[in-house]
């Protein structure tokens, strides 16, 4: 039995790992590469394995860097099961179809330019129809339910606490009388995060495959995070400007709404108009409202008091383009939550065009910004940005709120690993080189762990 590492090796997108056992092939994750245009072009590359040989697919959660190439897999002939949590099935119904729409739109724009130049036309990575077709192969599971995936492979999903439905993947493997347990962390949640429970603690494994996104840093405490956000909102109010929040439509958006409700009075939010300007974010919020069985104790208590955990009296849901355009007529007093979370597309870029050159505007960065993205450029202090061929100066105040993360920080990752009583060997994935190296050294020093930093196409025998 062995595992091939085929994505998210020394980077944070494109998760993909192939488990081979008993002449069977089980794919963990089928993620999309995200970031620069050059990077994303590789999503059109052939899979580094024979799709026809796959027996099962397992995905940890709905984010596109873990699921975004599933429709391509189906296009190329895979017609087997895709196992994941029930809430992830519901989210993928939203996210994959939206992704297909974006690919169609991008292909149309590219082909307009190609037609004028007499170049060959391109096909979208996949269409909305192909994304919808993918959904029929999903098989939803609950946490802690053990199932047989194929001969010698038993699967159990544990709560990862990252976004709703996110899972730690436990694989009980058996071949030629030898049994091994492999635990893949998926994306581990940030302890005490809003709405969801903390990551489940597994106590034994023969091999741990662990993310390392924030392996080089510690998050600010939740108390300091809320205090900072309250201060920013108060300052923006006195400056009579707007607040722009590029937020991942799944997870971060719902956490923001939840905390806005919890701090509604303290942050004087009644004085603002709050806009969720994201059709997909609105739908994802509905999924969060539906799956209350995975809430933490505080969110359960709010739900039991017959309150919606995400509703606000001054929240405006903006679904249409026309509504979104009207928001841009507001020069002061608006809090605008919009995708995309790394500012690579979506409606947030339109709001930047109308606000980011204003000195009284504020931009709240509340999520990880990968290299090559517009969001990363803002975090790094760029003085101007390019939007649709127009250079726009950056005069807005840019705030990076590091504590507001859906990923465990270095201490969270170390604490989770500490829970394994036998201190098994670790393969680090889903992290940039620097973060991965620092976490590897910490694991070696503090726990004497055997650590491998996964390389692309590396094969590890279990």
């Amino acid at each position: 039995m062995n595992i091939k590492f085929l994505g998210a090796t020394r980077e944070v997108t494109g998760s993909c790992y192939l488990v081979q056992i008993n002449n069977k092939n089980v794919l963990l994750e089928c993620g999309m590469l995200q970031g620069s245009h050059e990077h994303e072009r590789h999503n059109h590359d052939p899979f580094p394995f024979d799709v026809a040989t796959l027996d099962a697919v397992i995905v940890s959660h709905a984010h596109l860097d873990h699921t975004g190439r599933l429709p391509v897999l189906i296009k190329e002939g895979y017609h087997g099961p895709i196992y994941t949590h029930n809430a992830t099935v519901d989210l993928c119904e939203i996210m994959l179809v939206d992704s297909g729409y974006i690919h169609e739109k991008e292909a149309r724009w590219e082909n307009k330019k190609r037609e004028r130049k007499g170049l060959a036309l391109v096909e979208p990575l996949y269409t909305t129809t192909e994304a919808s077709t993918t959904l029929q192969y999903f098989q939803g599971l609950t946490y802690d339910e053990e199932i047989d995936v194929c001969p010698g492979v038993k699967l159990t999903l544990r709560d990862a606490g990252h976004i709703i439905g996110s899972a730690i993947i436990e694989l009980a493997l058996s071949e030629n009388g030898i049994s091994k347990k492999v635990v893949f962390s998926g994306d581990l949640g940030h302890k005490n995060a809003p709405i969801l429970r903390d990551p489940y603690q597994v106590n034994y494994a023969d091999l741990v495959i662990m993310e390392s996104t924030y392996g080089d840093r510690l998050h600010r405490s939740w108390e300091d995070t809320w205090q900072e956000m309250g201060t920013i909102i108060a300052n923006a109010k006195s400056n009579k400007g707007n607040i722009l929040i590029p937020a991942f439509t799944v997870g971060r958006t719902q956490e923001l709404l939840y905390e806005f409700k919890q701090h509604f009075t303290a942050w004087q939010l009644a004085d603002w108009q709050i806009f969720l300007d994201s059709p997909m974010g609105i739908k994802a919020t509905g999924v969060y409202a539906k799956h209350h069985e995975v809430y933490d104790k505080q969110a359960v208590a709010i739900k039991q008091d017959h309150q919606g955990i995400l509703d606000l009296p001054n929240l405006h849901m903006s679904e249409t383009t026309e509504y979104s355009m009207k928001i841009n007529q507001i020069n002061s007093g608006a809090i605008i939550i919009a995708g995309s979370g790394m500012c690579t597309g979506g409606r947030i870029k339109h709001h930047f065009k109308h606000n980011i050159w204003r000195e009284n505007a504020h931009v709240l960065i509340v999520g990880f910004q990968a290299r090559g993205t517009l969001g990363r450029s803002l975090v790094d202090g760029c003085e101007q940005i390019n939007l649709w061929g127009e250079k726009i100066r950056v005069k807005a105040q840019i705030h990076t709120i590091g504590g507001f993360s859906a990923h465990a920080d270095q201490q969270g990752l170390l604490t989770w690993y500490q829970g394994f009583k036998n201190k098994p060997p670790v393969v680090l994935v889903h992290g940039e080189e620097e973060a991965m190296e620092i976490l590897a050294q910490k694991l070696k020093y503090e726990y004497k762990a055997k650590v491998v930093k996964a390389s692309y196409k590396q094969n590890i025998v279990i």
Side-chain angles (χ1 to χ4, degrees), residues 29-32 57-71 74 82-101 126-140 163-166 249-250 280 283-285 287-288 290-291:
E29 317 282 61
C30 191
M32 183 183 296
V57 176
I58 304 167
V59 294
S60 64
H61 65 286
H63 279 151
L64 291 178
D65 62 316
H66 296 257
T67 64
R69 292 186 80 194
L70 285 171
I74 302 302
I82 302 170
Y83 296 106
T84 193
H85 190 272
N86 288 315
T88 301
V89 176
D90 290 342
L91 287 178
C92 283
E93 184 175 355
I94 300 165
M95 298 180 72
L96 290 179
V97 172
D98 181 77
S99 179
Y101 168 77
Y126 52 85
T127 66
T128 55
T129 299
E130 288 164 339
S132 296
T133 299
T134 304
L135 300 171
Q136 66 184 290
Y137 299 99
F138 277 89
Q139 294 191 23
I163 63 170
I164 201 160
S166 61
T249 53
V250 176
M280 188 168 69
K283 292 176 182 176
T285 299
V287 174
Y288 266 73
K290 172 184 175 182
H291 286 280

Side-chain angles (χ1 to χ4, degrees), residues 210-234:
M210 188 164 75
E211 69 132 316
S212 54
T213 313
Y214 286 117
D216 59 343
R217 70 195 77 176
L218 301 176
H219 296 323
R220 182 173 297 183
S221 71
W222 286 113
E223 293 77 11
D224 289 346
T225 299
W226 307 142
Q227 184 176 355
E228 181 183 14
M229 182 166 283
T231 300
I232 293 169
I233 291 172

Side-chain angles (χ1 to χ4, degrees), residues 198-390:
D198 291 342
Y200 179 89
Q201 183 60 65
V202 187
N203 59 25
Y204 179 85
D206 293 291
L207 179 69
V208 174
I209 304 169
M210 188 164 75
E211 69 132 316
S212 54
T213 313
Y214 286 117
D216 59 343
R217 70 195 77 176
L218 301 176
H219 296 323
R220 182 173 297 183
S221 71
W222 286 113
E223 293 77 11
D224 289 346
T225 299
W226 307 142
Q227 184 176 355
E228 181 183 14
M229 182 166 283
T231 300
I232 293 169
I233 291 172
N235 289 341
K237 180 183 175 184
S238 64
N239 291 343
K240 302 186 185 303
N242 292 329
I243 298 175
L244 311 180
I245 309 178
F248 299 111
T249 53
V250 176
R252 192 57 34 79
T253 290
Q254 293 72 37
E255 290 171 347
L256 284 167
L257 294 178
Y258 181 83
E259 290 304 325
F260 282 176
K261 178 161 186 171
Q262 300 309 301
H263 296 89
F264 191 79
T265 301
W267 293 348
Q268 298 182 341
L269 291 171
D271 297 332
W272 293 82
Q273 295 184 75
I274 302 172
F275 297 92
L276 175 50
D277 189 22
S278 167
M280 188 168 69
I282 293 168
K283 292 176 182 176
T285 299
V287 174
Y288 266 73
K290 172 184 175 182
H291 286 280
H292 49 83
E293 76 277 6
V294 300
Y295 291 176
D296 65 14
K297 290 181 180 179
Q298 183 185 40
V300 167
I302 295 170
K303 177 71 176 176
Q304 288 175 342
D305 284 342
H306 306 290
Q307 301 179 50
I309 69 166
L310 305 173
D311 57 336
L312 298 163
N314 54 344
L315 175 63
H316 307 278
M317 301 287 199
S318 171
E319 294 196 54
T320 67
T321 303
E322 292 74 21
Y323 197 131
S324 180
M325 292 170 67
K326 288 181 180 179
I327 298 172
N328 287 322
Q329 299 172 12
I330 302 172
N331 295 325
S332 176
I335 297 175
I336 304 165
I337 304 169
S340 67
M342 296 187 192
C343 314
T344 53
R347 294 180 179 180
I348 194 65
K349 293 176 72 175
H350 292 277
H351 296 302
F352 281 171
K353 181 178 180 179
H354 289 270
N355 288 274
I356 206 164
W357 49 269
R358 302 177 188 268
E359 292 184 356
N360 64 347
H362 295 255
V363 177
L364 270 62
I365 302 294
V366 294
F368 182 81
Q369 306 298 312
R371 289 176 178 173
T373 64
L374 175 55
R376 183 65 165 261
S377 296
L378 291 172
V379 169
D380 290 342
C382 66
E383 295 182 355
Q384 66 180 20
I385 59 176
N386 191 317
L387 295 176
W388 303 288
E390 180 182 355

